Amino acid sequence: MATSRTPSPAAMPDTILPRSTYDNNTTPCASESTPFLGQGHCSCSNDMIDKGILSTTDYTADCNTAIEFLFGSLPSPTQDDQNGDLEEQATQYKSSMRVLLFHSHRRVEHSKDCKLLTRQIIHILRHAKHVDIRSQFIEAVSQVFYGRPNLNFESARCQYQYFYNWIYSGRQESDSHCRTKDFMGTIVSLGRNFVGCDLSHLDESITKPERCACCHQEKDIVYWCERCVQKDGSRKTIMTGYCSSHCQSDDTVHHETVCNVRKCFGRAVRLTKSIFMSLQEWLTDSTVECTSNRHGTIFVTDKLRYWEAMRGEPALHPFIRNRNIREGHIEAVIQDQYAMHISGPMNYYVIPWLWNGLCEEIEEVIVQVKNAHRPIIRVIKDQNITSNMLRPHLVYRVTLKSGEVVAVDLAGGRYGWAETLMSWDHFKEQRVSRIIASDPPGTAASQLGHNLPYNYPSLVKIRTHREVLTTIIQRLRELQGRNWLSMHSDTDFLATSDPEHYSHIKIMMRKVVTRLCKLKAFNILAQSDTHYRLFLNHDFEELVAVTPTERRLLKRAWLTKEQTDMLADKDRTYLKHFWKYHLEQYGIVMVHGSLIPAEN
């Protein structure tokens, strides 16, 4: 193993790395970037030559013309936004993107937009999954053009930009209903929130029963069961309604079973949500610097953590609140962080515990959403912007013991939605643009584990949450053994008809959850538990030193605060090369995602 130490950061910049290797302004030539990626000339490229837009001899073709042709050759932006052949759509996007790569290959000088867009397209064609091409392209285009004013309303790029602005603003159907059928031919202010359009709740006209639950006639609902009404803030969703007090009285016996199941399950769902909120609030793997609200969208600026990774600081920590994070945004931001990470803990712990005996069938459904009230755009400094409107969303389709089918949305706050529990039909009609997958509980967790390295921070967070959940359930069952719950089983308290008794148990449960989450966070921050320290691999990705070998190798390589401060003015590309060199100086190499000592 190498024994020489890395020179101090102050002495490194121009002596160790040639300037050309980390200069952000350096653009690789077309031959170096391999623009066609082994695909050869595409038919779109030949079409451009045939139409005289580009020429095999004229290498001074205008970049804006090439970009315009790219957008003009794409499928219609609204095509297959809900359904359709995604494979065919992805193939069309790939073919269209190679148009710009052909242009890049034929010229030496390019505009700034052309350079940026070409880099993004090369990355997509190399790394994106086939079915994700469209979403990846929208995000790539937004890196270049998002927020830029559109002056040429007739251009294909301008019209496509309006479309992804509409998606980023919530894919709200209220906007599309105000347009003519010719989407691409009508230039309107897409993405703006219409005055008086509140999508935070399902409208009462949608959720209120149309028929009396007893006589089944279409009459005005003037009475309802208060016990099974689902309340979300100042709003309430009427689950069972009656046209008269006589009908309500006659239906008492029949409704009792349905009512009890709804009440118990509603309580279980709200407790489940509060548990995940506590876990994420005390044990998160990301840091938010600030939030802002622009035109009905929450913009979240995430802090880069490579400085902490260079110093080997803990991967997990409590959610850090500061004056730049609006109080009204915190719940939405926390739910956006855990939205796709609840599958494993739900399947192995919460469902067998809190939901046990209340459900006939549970499905884990991955959806693409629409009609978001207040979506989130995350901004990572010096990198990209991402919208949760292009991200999948996990919900549960639950068939209750009563036969009723409901939707459980434990992270709906990431889109500004208040309801956690509602009718599946209402949720599907009003909030689902497309169902991506429907599987047994735990499937999403398995897929996430296969797609990411074992020491990826999100996976470490999930494993930690499962560990804490195990401790929480054990502790609550111990308290139950001391007659703390005063029930025969650990979930019987859900059925109690005494509101004060239930409220007391709920408060005590939340105290136990919070105390155990705090204790785990304290142990991690105090580094008494060394399984959670960050490091950077050779590609400058943040990972967690999970194995004893990794921690032993990195113990000497982690930098001090003074050393990282000396690198504060360096850009990301330079730091990436510095860190790779730094690890090599300590005899550390990366093989298949794991750190191993280099051979002598």
Side-chain angles (χ1 to χ4, degrees):
M1 181 182 296
T3 58
S4 60
R5 291 190 58 82
T6 303
S8 65
M12 286 195 59
D14 298 315
T15 57
I16 292 179
L17 302 175
R19 181 65 187 173
S20 61
T21 63
Y22 62 87
D23 189 347
N24 275 338
N25 296 320
T26 301
T27 304
C29 67
S31 60
E32 291 174 339
S33 59
T34 319
F36 294 102
L37 307 176
Q39 300 295 328
H41 296 306
C42 64
S43 58
C44 290
S45 303
N46 297 328
D47 190 35
M48 293 179 73
I49 297 172
D50 295 339
K51 293 180 179 180
I53 296 175
L54 289 179
S55 169
T56 56
T57 59
D58 180 10
Y59 300 146
T60 60
D62 181 62
C63 288
N64 291 333
T65 303
I67 292 174
E68 183 66 15
F69 192 91
L70 162 68
F71 286 98
S73 62
L74 289 171
S76 170
T78 54
Q79 179 182 337
D80 298 330
D81 192 49
Q82 289 188 326
N83 302 296
D85 190 341
L86 298 181
E87 290 285 336
E88 180 182 353
Q89 181 189 121
T91 301
Q92 289 177 315
Y93 267 84
K94 283 185 175 181
S95 179
S96 298
M97 282 189 282
R98 293 192 186 103
V99 172
L100 194 66
L101 297 187
F102 174 81
H103 168 67
S104 173
H105 185 68
R106 306 303 296 181
R107 289 198 60 193
V108 177
E109 297 181 359
H110 297 276
S111 68
K112 181 179 179 181
D113 288 348
C114 189
K115 289 180 182 178
L116 294 174
L117 196 54
T118 300
R119 289 176 183 172
Q120 296 282 354
I121 286 175
I122 290 173
H123 180 79
I124 291 172
L125 294 177
R126 282 179 173 167
H127 302 289
K129 293 182 179 179
H130 188 64
V131 294
D132 293 335
I133 288 289
R134 178 173 175 269
S135 295
Q136 293 289 327
F137 180 80
I138 292 174
E139 284 199 340
V141 170
S142 67
Q143 313 308 321
V144 182
F145 300 111
Y146 187 78
R148 188 179 300 181
N150 292 312
L151 300 178
N152 183 5
F153 291 160
E154 300 300 323
S155 75
R157 179 188 69 78
C158 174
Q159 295 180 37
Y160 199 94
Q161 187 172 343
Y162 274 116
F163 173 70
Y164 71 68
N165 282 341
W166 171 69
I167 290 181
Y168 279 21
S169 298
R171 201 183 267 109
Q172 297 178 1
E173 290 183 335
S174 57
D175 289 358
S176 61
H177 291 166
C178 297
R179 299 192 300 270
T180 65
K181 293 182 180 179
D182 184 9
F183 178 90
M184 294 304 294
T186 305
I187 304 299
V188 293
S189 179
L190 292 181
R192 65 188 176 90
N193 286 330
F194 280 57
V195 177
C197 184
D198 183 5
L199 297 174
S200 62
H201 295 75
L202 295 177
D203 192 84
E204 186 177 327
S205 62
I206 298 171
T207 61
K208 193 173 183 179
E210 297 179 354
R211 295 176 180 271
C212 174
C214 182
C215 65
H216 306 293
Q217 297 184 27
E218 292 188 10
K219 295 182 179 181
D220 291 339
I221 301 301
V222 292
Y223 294 90
W224 51 82
C225 176
E226 285 287 353
R227 293 177 60 201
C228 59
V229 163
Q230 301 300 315
K231 297 180 180 179
D232 299 282
S234 60
R235 296 282 193 97
K236 61 183 179 181
T237 301
I238 299 172
M239 307 293 284
T240 300
Y242 303 95
C243 62
S244 65
S245 59
H246 178 72
C247 281
Q248 184 175 16
S249 178
D250 288 349
D251 195 48
T252 300
V253 176
H254 177 266
H255 177 67
E256 185 176 2
T257 302
V258 176
C259 185
N260 287 335
V261 172
R262 282 178 182 166
K263 180 182 70 174
C264 292
F265 191 67
R267 287 174 171 178
V269 166
R270 286 188 286 273
L271 284 172
T272 301
K273 181 179 176 180
S274 68
I275 289 172
F276 280 112
M277 286 290 294
S278 294
L279 286 169
Q280 186 67 34
E281 187 169 3
W282 288 102
L283 295 163
T284 183
D285 60 330
S286 59
T287 303
V288 176
E289 283 194 347
C290 63
T291 65
S292 60
N293 190 3
R294 303 179 212 168
H295 308 294
T297 300
I298 298 177
F299 282 77
V300 178
T301 301
D302 286 322
K303 181 181 178 182
L304 292 170
R305 300 198 67 196
Y306 49 70
W307 300 114
E308 287 91 336
M310 286 182 175
R311 297 192 292 264
E313 294 187 5
L316 304 181
H317 56 82
F319 183 88
I320 301 173
R321 302 169 186 248
N322 61 57
R323 62 182 181 179
N324 295 320
I325 302 175
R326 297 190 182 184
E327 190 66 29
H329 296 168
I330 291 176
E331 183 173 341
V333 171
I334 291 176
Q335 291 185 33
D336 194 53
Q337 291 176 345
Y338 75 63
M340 293 302 297
H341 299 157
I342 62 176
S343 174
M346 281 290 296
N347 182 46
Y348 294 106
Y349 300 96
V350 176
I351 290 176
W353 172 44
L354 275 179
W355 294 17
N356 185 35
L358 299 173
C359 313
E360 287 287 350
E361 183 181 8
I362 302 174
E363 294 176 76
E364 191 176 79
V365 186
I366 308 296
V367 300
Q368 173 184 281
V369 305
K370 64 181 181 182
N371 292 328
H373 176 66
R374 195 170 59 176
I376 290 176
I377 290 179
R378 306 192 82 94
V379 183
I380 304 177
K381 286 186 176 180
D382 302 325
Q383 293 188 42
N384 299 328
I385 63 172
T386 61
S387 169
N388 64 1
M389 292 303 301
L390 292 173
R391 296 288 177 265
H393 185 58
L394 189 152
V395 296
Y396 289 91
R397 184 182 185 271
V398 180
T399 303
L400 300 177
K401 286 288 188 181
S402 60
E404 189 175 19
V405 182
V406 296
V408 179
D409 190 358
L410 298 170
R414 68 192 297 221
Y415 300 111
W417 297 329
E419 300 100 334
T420 304
L421 180 65
M422 68 215 84
S423 162
W424 173 258
D425 290 338
H426 294 159
F427 177 80
K428 181 180 178 182
E429 179 185 355
Q430 298 298 318
R431 292 180 175 172
V432 176
S433 173
R434 178 168 59 90
I435 293 179
I436 300 172
S438 180
D439 299 295
T443 303
S446 300
Q447 293 175 349
L448 189 66
H450 285 101
N451 294 332
L452 295 174
Y454 70 97
N455 52 356
Y456 198 74
S458 295
L459 294 184
V460 174
K461 180 188 73 173
I462 293 171
R463 290 196 293 268
T464 305
H465 286 183
R466 290 171 60 173
E467 177 186 332
V468 176
L469 266 174
T470 302
T471 307
I472 288 171
I473 295 173
Q474 289 176 348
R475 177 58 178 159
L476 290 175
R477 284 176 173 164
E478 289 174 3
L479 292 172
Q480 176 211 357
R482 302 172 190 172
N483 294 323
W484 175 69
L485 296 179
S486 302
M487 297 288 176
H488 296 294
S489 71
D490 49 1
T491 55
D492 277 355
F493 71 93
L494 297 173
T496 180
S497 58
D498 184 349
E500 291 185 4
H501 180 63
Y502 172 73
S503 179
H504 171 71
I505 294 176
K506 180 177 67 175
I507 291 171
M508 294 302 296
M509 284 184 66
R510 288 179 175 174
K511 286 182 178 179
V512 170
V513 171
T514 301
R515 184 168 65 249
L516 292 175
C517 289
K518 275 179 159 182
L519 180 61
K520 185 64 176 180
F522 173 78
N523 289 337
I524 292 174
L525 290 175
Q527 296 196 5
S528 58
D529 193 337
T530 60
H531 292 73
Y532 298 90
R533 298 186 70 177
L534 285 170
F535 73 94
L536 295 171
N537 65 9
H538 285 235
D539 293 324
F540 217 63
E541 296 172 327
E542 298 162 14
L543 298 175
V544 183
V546 175
T547 67
T549 300
E550 289 173 339
R551 293 192 293 272
R552 177 175 55 81
L553 290 173
L554 288 164
K555 187 174 182 180
R556 294 183 302 116
W558 278 312
L559 302 177
T560 64
K561 180 67 164 60
E562 292 74 17
Q563 288 174 313
T564 55
D565 287 345
M566 296 168 68
L567 291 166
D569 61 339
K570 304 303 177 185
D571 59 43
R572 182 183 176 88
T573 307
Y574 173 82
L575 292 173
K576 179 178 177 179
H577 285 84
F578 162 76
W579 184 252
K580 183 177 180 180
Y581 176 87
H582 181 73
L583 292 182
E584 289 173 352
Q585 291 298 103
Y586 280 92
I588 301 174
V589 297
M590 176 75 68
V591 177
H592 302 302
S594 300
L595 291 177
I596 63 172
E599 296 181 1
N600 292 330

